[in-house]
Amino acid sequence: MSGVGIVYNPLPKPALPLVAVENGTVSPQALYIQTAWTDSQGDESALSPVNGVILDGTSSIVVGMSEGVIGAPAAATGWNLYAGTSDADVSRQNNAPLAIGSTWLLPTTGLIDGPQPVNGQEPNVYIPLSRQIQRG
């Protein structure tokens, strides 16, 4: 499509996710974490900045949204978590959007090979640009 894309209920890019390292059973490795807001239509925001963490022993991580419940955008109904062992190759780690205010715990089995992130919301409508000089 061409023209100016308009999103009716835009979701902002989330802030850097909160990541806490805890005792666990996952082997030492570097992990890269990003999050995205979701809405009731299944749309997803652009990804947050990357938060990297190094697990130096058998550990686990807990991830939450920096904005919490109070700072969540009005259009958001949940959030998705993306993680990977490379910041260029993250995949979604939850099957359904997580509730606003909830946290995500790295499973004992480690990361899954989930869907790749989208590039933010697609426009709901495009407004064509006129190629004529307006008179008047």
Side-chain angles (χ1 to χ4, degrees), residues 53-70:
V53 63
I54 296 175
L55 305 179
D56 58 0
T58 52
S59 306
S60 185
I61 61 170
V62 177
V63 180
M65 297 293 278
S66 296
E67 296 86 349
V69 175
I70 295 173

Side-chain angles (χ1 to χ4, degrees), residues 17-103:
L18 299 174
V19 179
V21 178
E22 298 185 344
N23 291 329
T25 59
V26 178
S27 60
Q29 60 186 297
L31 296 175
Y32 299 89
I33 310 299
Q34 292 181 280
T35 57
W37 293 113
T38 60
D39 67 14
S40 61
Q41 304 300 311
D43 294 327
E44 186 175 87
S45 72
L47 290 179
S48 69
V50 176
N51 193 346
V53 63
I54 296 175
L55 305 179
D56 58 0
T58 52
S59 306
S60 185
I61 61 170
V62 177
V63 180
M65 297 293 278
S66 296
E67 296 86 349
V69 175
I70 295 173
T77 57
W79 61 285
N80 286 330
L81 180 122
Y82 290 86
T85 55
S86 163
D87 63 343
D89 188 28
V90 295
S91 61
R92 195 173 71 216
Q93 299 299 304
N94 51 301
N95 292 326
L98 301 163
I100 293 175
S102 68
T103 57

